[in-house]
Amino acid sequence: MARNTVRVEPRHADNSPCHHAVKPSGRPRDPQSPCTGRTAYAVVCSEHGDVGAPHHLRVLADPAATAHRQEHRATR
Ligand SMILES: [Zn+2]
Ligand SMILES: [Zn+2]
Protein backbone atom coordinates (compact mmCIF):
# COMPACT_ATOMS: atom_id res chain seq x y z
CA MET A 1 0.00 0.00 0.00
CA ALA A 2 1.31 3.40 -0.92
CA ARG A 3 2.38 5.61 1.91
CA ASN A 4 -0.25 8.27 2.37
CA THR A 5 0.73 11.85 1.86
CA VAL A 6 -0.53 15.01 3.49
CA ARG A 7 0.01 18.27 1.67
CA VAL A 8 -1.15 21.85 1.71
CA GLU A 9 -3.04 22.85 -1.41
CA PRO A 10 -3.79 26.49 -2.28
CA ARG A 11 -7.43 27.11 -3.17
CA HIS A 12 -9.41 29.77 -5.03
CA ALA A 13 -12.51 31.38 -3.56
CA ASP A 14 -14.67 28.69 -5.25
CA ASN A 15 -12.54 26.00 -3.52
CA SER A 16 -10.88 24.79 -6.74
CA PRO A 17 -7.14 24.07 -6.47
CA CYS A 18 -4.77 26.89 -7.44
CA HIS A 19 -1.64 25.75 -9.24
CA HIS A 20 -1.00 29.10 -10.87
CA ALA A 21 1.99 31.30 -10.29
CA VAL A 22 0.94 34.01 -7.90
CA LYS A 23 2.55 37.01 -6.33
CA PRO A 24 3.20 37.04 -2.59
CA SER A 25 -0.05 38.99 -2.29
CA GLY A 26 -1.95 35.94 -3.62
CA ARG A 27 -2.93 37.63 -6.87
CA PRO A 28 -2.00 35.96 -10.21
CA ARG A 29 1.37 36.86 -11.73
CA ASP A 30 -0.04 36.69 -15.25
CA PRO A 31 -2.96 39.09 -15.80
CA GLN A 32 -4.21 36.75 -18.60
CA SER A 33 -4.30 33.78 -16.26
CA PRO A 34 -7.73 32.35 -15.34
CA CYS A 35 -6.59 32.47 -11.74
CA THR A 36 -8.92 34.34 -9.41
CA GLY A 37 -6.37 34.53 -6.64
CA ARG A 38 -5.64 32.31 -3.66
CA THR A 39 -7.97 32.76 -0.77
CA ALA A 40 -7.40 29.63 1.30
CA TYR A 41 -5.05 26.73 1.96
CA ALA A 42 -6.55 23.28 2.36
CA VAL A 43 -4.85 20.35 4.05
CA VAL A 44 -5.31 17.38 1.73
CA CYS A 45 -4.60 13.79 2.75
CA SER A 46 -4.24 11.05 0.12
CA GLU A 47 -6.33 8.81 2.37
CA HIS A 48 -8.89 11.20 3.88
CA GLY A 49 -9.17 13.94 1.27
CA ASP A 50 -9.68 17.40 2.71
CA VAL A 51 -8.78 17.53 6.39
CA GLY A 52 -10.98 20.00 8.21
CA ALA A 53 -11.94 23.34 6.73
CA PRO A 54 -9.49 25.28 4.55
CA HIS A 55 -7.27 27.76 6.35
CA HIS A 56 -7.08 31.36 5.36
CA LEU A 57 -3.37 31.59 6.02
CA ARG A 58 -0.60 29.24 4.98
CA VAL A 59 1.02 29.63 8.38
CA LEU A 60 -2.10 28.00 9.86
CA ALA A 61 -2.33 25.25 7.23
CA ASP A 62 1.24 24.03 7.62
CA PRO A 63 0.90 23.07 11.33
CA ALA A 64 -2.49 21.45 10.58
CA ALA A 65 -0.81 19.29 7.93
CA THR A 66 1.96 18.39 10.36
CA ALA A 67 -0.61 17.48 13.04
CA HIS A 68 -2.47 15.22 10.60
CA ARG A 69 0.75 13.45 9.61
CA GLN A 70 1.40 12.80 13.28
CA GLU A 71 -2.12 11.39 13.70
CA HIS A 72 -1.33 8.84 11.01
CA ARG A 73 1.92 7.90 12.71
CA ALA A 74 0.16 7.52 16.04
CA THR A 75 -2.51 5.13 14.71
CA ARG A 76 -0.02 2.87 12.95
ZN1 LIG B 1 -5.00 30.12 -9.27
ZN1 LIG C 1 -5.32 11.25 6.67
Side-chain angles (χ1 to χ4, degrees):
M1 190 186 135
R3 193 173 174 278
N4 75 318
T5 55
V6 182
R7 63 200 169 80
V8 174
E9 182 179 79
R11 294 279 172 86
H12 301 126
D14 67 358
N15 211 34
S16 58
C18 179
H19 301 298
H20 309 104
V22 296
K23 296 173 186 172
S25 64
R27 303 309 302 171
R29 254 177 221 288
D30 178 1
Q32 305 301 315
S33 139
C35 186
T36 54
R38 294 179 180 184
T39 58
Y41 294 88
V43 178
V44 182
C45 172
S46 60
E47 190 180 330
H48 298 108
D50 284 18
V51 177
H55 301 269
H56 291 288
L57 295 170
R58 175 135 206 161
V59 291
L60 298 176
D62 284 333
T66 301
H68 191 72
R69 281 184 203 110
Q70 281 166 352
E71 273 175 49
H72 275 279
R73 239 172 265 144
T75 54
R76 200 155 285 185

